[in-house]
Amino acid sequence: MPSLLQRLKERKLFQWALAYLAGAWLVFQGIEVLAEPWNLSEAVQRTIHVLLGIGFIVTLVLAWYHGEKGRQKASGIELLILAGILVIAGAAVALLGRGDDSGGQPDAEQAGAASSVINPKSVAVLPFANLSADPDNEYFSDGITSDIINRLAKVADLQVIARTSVMQYKATQKPIRQIGRELRVATIVEGEVQRLGGRVRINAQLIDADTDLHLWADTYDRELTAEDIFEMQSEIAQQIAEALQAEFSPSERARVEKGLSTDLEAYNLYLRGLYFWGKFTEQGIRASIDYYRQAIEADPGFAEAYVGLTMSNIVLGLGHGAGAVRSRDAWAEAGAAIGRALELDDELGEAHAVLGFLLFVSEFEWERAEQEFKMAIELSPVAQNHNRYGLLLTSLGRFDEAIAQHRHAQELDPLAPIIAVDLAWAYLYAGRYAAAETEARKALELDPDFPVAHEVLGSSYIRRGRVEDGLAELEKATEVAPQGPAYLSSLGWAYATTGRRVEAEEVLTGLLALADSRYVSPYDISLVYAGLDPDSALAWLDRAIEERSGWVSRANVHFAFDSLRSDPRFVELLGKMRLSP
């Protein structure tokens, strides 16, 4: 009776097993490369892996059966050749998948988007030209543009490109067709604003981005009063929506028609606040707060001004690149302002989104925050509302959902570097490093000196073992924003986690010294300690939680704390934030 080994040889099970494993490896490499462009969730990838494991067993059983029946047609040498071909193919796929590390490969997601069909009801409102004699009226024409965008965005049937992206085309000489291709829209709105004495004139036109044909145009000449300005903006938005054959409900129409303030001076102050907010620097944010406060003083019923005041305070409270104040002080003013905004107008979508953001970063009210975000998107499905919801989902570790929200925000605001960065962080926390690096590089193409983009790119490099590249990017972030505690914190963590303890301790000393002259979040200090001294890291993290400081809401997903996740003290700290590991 032949031995088991002899029977295995006769049935060529070794060759079949080798061929199958080579093919499975090829599939694994393909999944790794295609997971991002095909948007394969972690669950789908795990399912494919399980099926391949089951398939291995089935293949061996079939090979045994066919060998028993003498039905095999391939020789052992042929099977070995097949295995070799599959191994070479797998290596080629793996090499291709690493191509994005150099930054020279095209973005697969972007390539996929380029082949998709453009929504015929998509529109981009380019910055209206300021035809007034006074160049200081630039803020006014920019404000008119922003308001028309916001009104159009309240119509769910339209796809409206956000302000951040269209402002890139201010005074542009690019042809309409090129702009349409870059923004992935079917139509473009152009306009001009002229203030002359006590009157204002607005010219607006809707253009087919593919043919350059005018679909609609009109001129408005009114008294320079708040009522007339809002009436003009409402009429322009409604006529554009009707020209695009958009369907909108009575409630949407009412929101499109709603004015902002009855006081012209308050509206002017609000527009100045919005103008300085858009600069996203510490000086700009502080100036916006001053203007929003003046607008509220002029018109205490100005809900949008309270929303602006809230968001500016939140940015300072987070202290991530646009200045910092003690978090609790920022949260106090922000909470009072957003409460008043919703008292004045509980159907203001932006107010619900900002409240949701404040609830999770300052109060750890996760469920209530999510409800507010959903309400905000229902009332106003703009890019920022989707993006802020994605930040909540990232903090909760719901990465697939977070990525979906950030991607949707990116469709509506494709040239906003902050959205690319927020998407990059979601990918990074999920361990999807290639995708994180793609988005970070996209942000740097839009703004080469965007420090947080260098931060997320460098952190991803460190995580995947590209130490020198990672340190170079993190050092670049601190060069661009030398007084940014968050960037120093990430650099200190990188030094510590890569064994450069002396450099890490120098960064830590610098952070503690910086705290003598400005606010530094205990959370930033805890991140550096996470690579140096676990006990100190936990102590500073506890302090950050008590102070509701900075981005402490991300502690549950931040990789710096990976080595502490099994520590009961860390689990207890997460409990203080109503989170579980």
Side-chain angles (χ1 to χ4, degrees), residues 65-74:
Y65 174 76
H66 283 287
E68 182 73 27
K69 298 296 183 181
R71 297 177 184 172
Q72 284 185 335
K73 301 299 182 184

Side-chain angles (χ1 to χ4, degrees), residues 407-470:
R407 279 180 171 170
H408 189 65
Q410 202 170 56
E411 291 176 2
L412 298 173
D413 203 353
L415 302 184
I418 188 61
I419 293 178
V421 161
D422 289 337
L423 177 54
W425 280 116
Y427 278 129
L428 177 55
Y429 290 131
R432 297 162 72 171
Y433 304 123
E437 291 157 20
T438 295
E439 294 303 324
R441 284 191 290 265
K442 186 185 299 182
L444 289 171
E445 288 175 4
L446 296 167
D447 183 355
D449 290 329
F450 197 29
V452 70
H454 288 289
E455 180 191 18
V456 67
L457 181 59
S459 298
S460 183
Y461 284 157
I462 294 293
R463 290 291 287 168
R464 71 148 89 201
R466 292 178 55 178
V467 175
E468 296 306 319
D469 291 336

Side-chain angles (χ1 to χ4, degrees), residues 149-187:
I149 291 171
N150 290 336
R151 290 175 188 273
L152 286 170
K154 297 179 188 302
V155 182
D157 196 34
L158 294 176
Q159 179 182 328
V160 185
I161 300 299
R163 178 183 187 274
T164 313
S165 288
V166 297
M167 291 306 291
Q168 308 295 323
Y169 297 93
K170 192 175 180 67
T172 185
Q173 300 299 316
K174 288 184 178 181
I176 290 294
R177 291 186 182 184
Q178 182 179 347
I179 297 173
R181 286 194 301 269
E182 291 175 356
L183 294 178
R184 303 290 302 153
V185 292
T187 58

Side-chain angles (χ1 to χ4, degrees), residues 301-545:
F302 198 166
E304 285 81 358
Y306 284 104
V307 174
L309 180 61
T310 303
M311 201 60 221
S312 292
N313 274 285
I314 287 176
V315 171
L316 292 185
L318 291 173
H320 200 99
V325 298
R326 187 169 300 279
S327 297
R328 280 198 177 277
D329 295 341
W331 305 152
E333 183 170 8
I338 201 62
R340 179 59 178 153
L342 286 167
E343 287 177 6
L344 293 167
D345 186 354
D346 64 357
E347 289 194 352
L348 189 57
E350 185 75 359
H352 285 281
V354 172
L355 175 58
F357 195 74
L358 184 63
L359 284 171
F360 90 82
V361 297
S362 71
E363 298 298 333
F364 313 132
E365 292 281 357
W366 308 100
E367 292 183 4
R368 187 180 165 202
E370 185 164 14
Q371 292 172 359
E372 292 295 333
F373 281 123
K374 290 179 177 179
M375 175 67 75
I377 290 171
E378 181 180 341
L379 292 169
S380 182
V382 297
Q384 277 301 325
N385 290 349
H386 285 284
N387 199 57
R388 290 166 183 157
Y389 184 26
L391 295 173
L392 166 74
L393 295 168
T394 294
S395 290
L396 291 174
R398 291 159 56 182
F399 299 122
D400 287 344
E401 295 173 74
I403 288 166
Q405 289 295 325
H406 289 311
R407 279 180 171 170
H408 189 65
Q410 202 170 56
E411 291 176 2
L412 298 173
D413 203 353
L415 302 184
I418 188 61
I419 293 178
V421 161
D422 289 337
L423 177 54
W425 280 116
Y427 278 129
L428 177 55
Y429 290 131
R432 297 162 72 171
Y433 304 123
E437 291 157 20
T438 295
E439 294 303 324
R441 284 191 290 265
K442 186 185 299 182
L444 289 171
E445 288 175 4
L446 296 167
D447 183 355
D449 290 329
F450 197 29
V452 70
H454 288 289
E455 180 191 18
V456 67
L457 181 59
S459 298
S460 183
Y461 284 157
I462 294 293
R463 290 291 287 168
R464 71 148 89 201
R466 292 178 55 178
V467 175
E468 296 306 319
D469 291 336
L471 292 177
E473 289 294 334
L474 291 167
E475 288 166 356
K476 177 67 174 178
T478 63
E479 291 171 10
V480 174
Q483 296 298 304
Y487 311 125
L488 290 169
S489 172
S490 290
L491 179 60
W493 160 81
Y495 282 141
T497 199
T498 56
R500 306 189 184 197
R501 188 176 185 89
V502 173
E503 292 93 331
E505 290 175 343
E506 289 176 353
V507 171
L508 182 60
T509 300
L511 271 175
L512 295 172
L514 184 62
D516 292 335
S517 59
R518 61 165 294 172
Y519 179 69
V520 174
S521 168
Y523 179 66
D524 291 332
I525 296 173
S526 73
L527 290 175
V528 184
Y529 269 124
L532 295 172
D533 179 2
D535 291 339
S536 296
L538 291 168
W540 280 95
L541 182 59
D542 189 15
R543 179 175 167 183
I545 293 170

